[in-house]
Amino acid sequence: MKTERLERLSGRQLGALAMTAAEVPALRVCARLGWLWVLLGGLGAAAGLSALTVHRNRRVQQPMLRQRRAGRALWKTLLFALLVPAAAEAAASFPETARSPLAAALILLLAFWAARQGAEAAGRCAGILLWITGTLCAVVLVFSLPGLHLAWLRPAGTPLDALIAFAALLIPGAALALSPALEAGERVPHWPWWGGTGLATAASLVAGGILSPALARRPEAFRTLARGVSVLGVIRRFEALVNAAMLMSGFCLCTLLLTVLLRPKARQ
């Protein structure tokens, strides 16, 4: 029964799961880096994931890293190692729960329960959350633009920023391992990889242009940016809403990683 449920995941749902999961690395990691290096690193990650997507779409019946047992073990070990940092970043969405092992454990338990329902349930959940988190991120970025200082948009940072952005934006690529769960005729979409790069670059550009390149490198750059946003001079204090959006994204990232880890091995 579990396997049958896995086979009803649509390409749109898989893309929503990957894109929602990409918001955590984009907003909590890449927003603190130099925008030019984020762009370069993000383009590299998106190009690599797109190449893998083409390969996976040609071999949609094959599970990722199926050929070598050692490679499959390494892949799952890497995903497992990412779980704790992902849960910690999700818990840090609210200042009150930052560095709280209990909050991180609760997020992992909730993500574990969601992952146990199968890839279809995770995809449907992300399909709803993406609209919420995407709208909140767009509001913060768009309504921050009037305060942009053009002089602060000069490229800053180091090549190490590109490497960090590259590694961070590769993480949502774990969704490629769910391609065998797609419905017949469905394909893995490319847009989450390029969308994640666009979001990361925009967040880095706006954070640096509003807060200054030096202040933008602080750990809570995007939250600080959201604190000063106002819509038409009336609606203010988007910080709590952005915190909730990052918590949703962190939950989806943990769910994605656990769904891949818990997915039963395909038959040879």
Side-chain angles (χ1 to χ4, degrees):
M1 296 299 294
K2 189 102 174 178
T3 303
E4 290 177 2
R5 291 185 67 181
L6 284 169
E7 300 305 325
R8 294 201 299 269
L9 182 67
S10 71
R12 180 183 59 80
Q13 290 170 337
L14 183 58
L17 182 57
M19 184 63 206
T20 309
E23 291 171 3
V24 166
L27 301 180
R28 292 196 57 81
V29 178
C30 296
R32 301 165 50 193
L33 308 174
W35 69 266
L36 179 60
W37 299 111
V38 170
L39 176 61
L40 294 176
L43 288 176
L49 290 173
S50 283
L52 285 174
T53 299
V54 171
H55 177 68
R56 295 301 294 167
N57 283 335
R58 289 175 181 168
R59 304 177 59 196
V60 74
Q61 301 302 321
Q62 302 283 339
M64 181 170 277
L65 299 178
R66 176 174 182 260
Q67 295 82 1
R68 297 180 183 275
R69 182 175 299 177
R72 190 162 56 242
L74 179 62
W75 164 249
K76 292 203 169 186
T77 300
L78 176 61
L79 294 185
F80 186 79
L82 289 171
L83 270 175
V84 173
E89 287 296 325
S93 298
F94 287 88
E96 296 81 4
T97 57
R99 300 183 181 87
S100 170
L102 178 60
L106 289 174
I107 291 168
L108 279 178
L109 283 174
L110 184 59
F112 178 80
W113 178 84
R116 289 284 296 171
Q117 310 310 305
E120 179 197 2
R124 282 191 279 110
C125 179
I128 298 171
L129 294 181
L130 179 60
W131 288 101
I132 301 171
T133 59
T135 299
L136 290 172
C137 292
V139 166
V140 171
L141 292 173
V142 170
F143 286 93
S144 293
L145 293 178
L148 210 62
H149 297 272
L150 297 180
W152 287 345
L153 296 183
R154 289 193 296 263
T158 67
L160 180 60
D161 290 352
L163 183 60
I164 295 172
F166 175 80
L169 294 173
L170 280 180
I171 296 173
L176 286 168
L178 298 179
S179 59
L182 289 171
E183 294 176 345
E186 292 280 347
R187 301 171 69 84
V188 181
H190 292 261
W191 60 265
W193 325 133
W194 302 100
T197 295
L199 176 61
T201 305
S204 175
L205 185 71
V206 174
I210 297 291
L211 304 176
S212 84
L215 291 179
R217 297 193 75 88
R218 294 185 176 180
E220 302 299 337
F222 196 78
R223 179 182 291 150
T224 304
L225 180 68
R227 196 175 295 148
V229 171
S230 66
V231 178
L232 304 177
V234 177
I235 306 175
R236 298 178 182 272
R237 303 299 296 179
F238 274 86
E239 181 187 359
L241 295 176
V242 169
N243 291 345
M246 287 196 278
L247 177 61
M248 295 176 200
S249 177
F251 162 74
C252 284
L253 177 58
C254 293
T255 301
L256 170 60
L257 297 176
L258 283 167
T259 301
V260 175
L261 287 168
L262 298 177
R263 190 173 187 275
K265 180 182 175 182
R267 294 178 181 177
Q268 301 292 331

